[in-house]
Amino acid sequence: KTAYEFCACLVGSEMCIRDRYKHVRVLKPEAENEVLLEFRVAREHLNAGGSLHGGCQATMVDVFTSIAIAKVHKQRRSGVTASMAIQCLSPAVEGDVLHVFCRTLKVGKTLAFATCEIRHASNGRIVTNGTHTKFISLPQKSDVNIQQAAFSHPIQKVAKL
């Protein structure tokens, strides 16, 4: 399914992108192991200094790499974070449009590895670079996989930015 459909079912610590359909748009048809999105920085994404909050950047890496992993995993499971690292390299301010490119590097039996790069759409300058390793448990009968969960929620259209 599309990155948008997976994004519709994600819940948890995504405070900075809670209204994700308002700020996120899928840019092009995605490769099997990739997700490319556009993200518009809004006031609620800023820290006290007026730039994109580091916690928001970490959440974007977490959520969007999870989507990339779920696209590749046979049961469409995204797992739980085992390790994640981000580097905040340059600021983004309210109104900036960012391109978020995530790639799944490998999905094994119990671990999945992905990278994320967030760049300014206008000049290509890197804002955030991140890596994400997720533990993916073996499926249980009682588990609802991410693909099933996506279709249990109403799917809304992505708002045009």
Side-chain angles (χ1 to χ4, degrees):
K1 298 301 169 192
T2 68
Y4 171 74
E5 289 167 326
F6 288 121
C7 192
C9 69
L10 293 172
V11 295
S13 64
E14 304 94 12
M15 282 176 41
C16 76
I17 55 172
R18 180 77 54 207
D19 297 323
R20 54 195 166 265
Y21 309 114
K22 182 175 156 185
H23 304 290
V24 179
R25 181 167 62 102
V26 177
L27 286 183
K28 66 177 186 176
E30 307 141 4
E32 177 66 21
N33 68 330
E34 297 175 351
V35 173
L36 179 59
L37 304 162
E38 184 176 87
F39 183 86
R40 183 177 302 276
V41 179
R43 186 173 185 202
E44 63 260 28
H45 306 133
L46 305 179
N47 59 25
S51 62
L52 184 61
H53 194 285
C56 185
Q57 293 172 62
T59 299
M60 290 169 65
V61 170
D62 182 9
V63 171
F64 298 135
T65 56
S66 295
I67 293 168
I69 289 168
K71 284 182 61 189
V72 174
H73 193 270
K74 291 176 186 172
Q75 281 90 32
R76 299 294 189 213
R77 299 163 64 86
S78 69
V80 296
T81 300
S83 172
M84 186 171 70
I86 67 163
Q87 297 82 40
C88 302
L89 303 171
S90 63
V93 296
E94 185 176 359
D96 283 353
V97 176
L98 306 175
H99 286 171
V100 182
F101 177 72
C102 298
R103 175 181 287 147
T104 301
L105 303 175
K106 179 182 179 182
V107 175
K109 255 186 182 177
T110 58
L111 290 176
F113 305 88
T115 61
C116 182
E117 195 172 81
I118 303 172
R119 293 180 174 264
H120 282 277
S122 61
N123 59 19
R125 188 175 68 225
I126 298 176
V127 174
T128 311
N129 187 48
T131 59
H132 198 181
T133 303
K134 297 197 87 171
F135 170 73
I136 302 172
S137 63
L138 298 174
Q140 306 294 318
K141 283 187 177 184
S142 63
D143 285 351
V144 175
N145 69 36
I146 197 166
Q147 184 178 14
Q148 291 168 336
F151 292 106
S152 67
H153 295 284
I155 303 296
Q156 303 169 8
K157 292 185 177 180
V158 176
K160 292 185 179 180
L161 299 178

